[in-house]
Amino acid sequence: MEASFVSPYRDDIVISWPELHRDTRVLCHALMDKGPFKGIIAIARGGLIPAALVARELEIRLIDTICASSYEESAEDSEGAQIKRSDVKILKGIEHDGEGYLLIDDLVDTGNTARVIRKLLPKAYFATLYAKPMGREIVDLCVKEFNQDKWIYFPWDIDYKFVPPLKKNK
């Protein structure tokens, strides 16, 4: 019997460029009271664009990255039930504990990657634009929280195309 995949996501949320920019400015207003910061550490790849926007708004010139790859493996136990295991690999680290630095990401979802990075940079101030419940306690600040069962599409994930009016599709 072949196991079928059931998505844990109930529906999607699409974040537009204007919304992302607005949310980043809200984040920056909150961060102004937390600094000054020596620099920003962006979690690549999702944190790169928010980090650039934050750097502009807070006039921070020093930007570095921590690069991680996370993936999920699926296997079956002896009774045929699906088992999922998450693993995080650090591709490029940082040579300090993050003291005085602002750590930026776009989203903390399950928290798997964030937990690993938080252990590497325990003294960094960790801010994200968006958070889901499983990862929320790991970050110091986020702008919006979403339910765990929402899939978030960022502007760099989607393509805008013309859609004909409904009446023309009949």
Side-chain angles (χ1 to χ4, degrees):
M1 184 168 124
E2 189 176 310
S4 63
F5 174 74
V6 177
S7 173
Y9 302 104
R10 203 165 30 106
D11 59 4
D12 303 333
I13 294 173
V14 177
I15 305 292
S16 67
W17 284 112
E19 183 178 6
L20 182 96
H21 200 115
R22 266 191 315 272
D23 291 343
T24 302
R25 287 179 60 88
V26 169
L27 182 69
C28 289
H29 279 286
L31 288 170
M32 285 176 45
D33 296 335
K34 309 294 182 192
F37 298 102
K38 294 176 185 176
I40 292 175
I41 301 167
I43 299 177
R45 295 176 314 222
L48 291 170
I49 291 171
L53 295 171
V54 170
R56 179 201 181 269
E57 296 297 336
L58 299 184
E59 295 186 339
I60 297 173
R61 304 273 181 209
L62 179 60
I63 302 174
D64 201 350
T65 59
I66 186 163
C67 304
S69 173
S70 63
Y71 58 92
E72 204 169 79
E73 293 179 333
S74 291
E76 287 186 11
D77 68 10
S78 61
E79 296 170 10
Q82 287 282 26
I83 302 171
K84 290 188 179 187
R85 184 177 81 82
S86 295
D87 199 12
V88 176
K89 181 179 179 183
I90 299 299
L91 306 172
K92 177 197 168 287
I94 300 289
E95 297 297 322
H96 53 79
D97 62 7
E99 185 169 3
Y101 282 82
L102 176 58
L103 182 61
I104 297 283
D105 205 358
D106 56 353
L107 167 73
V108 60
D109 192 328
T110 62
N112 292 337
T113 302
R115 278 183 192 85
V116 170
I117 292 174
R118 175 59 107 180
K119 285 180 186 170
L120 295 172
L121 300 168
K123 295 186 177 178
Y125 190 86
F126 197 167
T128 63
L129 291 173
Y130 311 113
K132 292 183 183 180
M134 288 175 67
R136 175 60 184 99
E137 82 280 351
I138 301 161
V139 299
D140 298 305
L141 179 65
C142 76
V143 175
K144 290 182 183 171
E145 296 182 38
F146 295 112
N147 289 336
Q148 201 68 43
D149 63 357
K150 306 288 185 192
W151 181 260
I152 312 298
Y153 284 104
F154 287 94
W156 50 85
D157 294 329
I158 58 175
D159 186 22
Y160 295 103
K161 304 192 262 191
F162 173 77
V163 176
L166 291 175
K167 192 168 184 176
K168 289 189 179 190
N169 286 332
K170 282 190 162 190

